[in-house]
């Protein structure tokens, strides 16, 4: 994981602050605590970056969740139909199940991608 540190991929996968990547943007690290899935810190306690740039900033993440959801659906299809050779109807239910099971992850990844469109990693001058 450390190889990716400093890249947008790292922030997107870990949900860490897009600017310093020192801490998580989310109050609860487990996305499957559904009441907490989208609860985010106001700002980064390390670098002070405000995550919510404007009041409805994260509504834009909905546009990102669409292609992210499709990516999960395609992955589920490839595994169930092409690799496990299950028939199309079974594959369909596996895809639907995958989408539901991964929804909290998809929602977070979408937000992480969205905020990384607007912010970039800045390496600290005084790195330890
Ligand atoms: Zn930060």
């Amino acid at each position: 994981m450390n190889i990716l540190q400093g890249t947008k991929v790292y922030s997107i996968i870990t949900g860490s602050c897009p600017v310093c990547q020192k801490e998580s943007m989310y109050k609860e690290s487990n996305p499957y605590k559904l009441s907490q899935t989208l609860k985010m810190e106001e700002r980064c306690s390390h670098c002070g970056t405000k995550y919510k740039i404007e009041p409805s900033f994260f509504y834009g993440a909905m546009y990102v969740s669409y292609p992210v959801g499709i990516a999960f659906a395609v992955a589920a299809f490839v595994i169930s139909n092409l690799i496990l050779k299950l028939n199309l109807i079974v594959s369909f239910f596996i895809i639907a199940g995958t989408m539901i099971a991964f929804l909290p992850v998809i929602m977070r990844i979408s937000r992480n991608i969205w905020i990384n469109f607007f912010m970039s990693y800045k390496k600290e001058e005084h790195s330890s």
Side-chain angles (χ1 to χ4, degrees):
M1 232 27 187
N2 284 338
I3 305 165
L4 293 172
Q5 192 140 25
T7 68
K8 289 186 186 297
V9 176
Y10 181 87
S11 170
I12 289 165
I13 292 172
T14 61
S16 57
C17 170
V19 176
C20 71
Q21 303 189 349
K22 297 271 185 197
E23 64 180 55
S24 175
M25 294 188 285
Y26 298 94
K27 291 179 191 259
E28 170 59 53
S29 61
N30 179 1
Y32 287 94
K33 286 186 181 162
L34 295 182
S35 64
Q36 305 287 315
T37 301
L38 295 177
K39 291 256 168 68
M40 299 178 80
E41 303 289 351
E42 176 83 23
R43 54 177 71 237
C44 177
S45 74
H46 190 86
C47 69
T49 297
K50 195 172 181 233
Y51 299 134
K52 213 173 178 182
I53 296 169
E54 54 189 33
S56 54
F57 176 65
F58 282 109
Y59 282 102
M62 282 192 299
Y63 301 111
V64 183
S65 70
Y66 193 66
V68 171
I70 288 173
F72 275 80
V74 169
F77 176 77
V78 167
I79 292 167
S80 59
N81 192 260
L82 302 183
I83 296 176
L84 299 176
K85 309 283 188 204
L86 301 170
N87 69 44
L88 276 178
I89 293 168
V90 175
S91 298
F92 173 79
F93 282 108
I94 289 176
I95 290 167
T98 302
M99 298 288 276
I100 293 166
F102 284 95
L103 195 60
V105 174
I106 291 169
M107 290 192 322
R108 278 199 178 181
I109 287 179
S110 304
R111 285 193 169 205
N112 300 347
I113 292 172
W114 181 247
I115 197 167
N116 270 283
F117 278 141
F118 298 90
M119 297 180 191
S120 296
Y121 178 70
K122 286 191 190 73
K123 204 170 170 58
E124 278 182 303
E125 290 94 68
H126 317 285
S127 56
S128 52

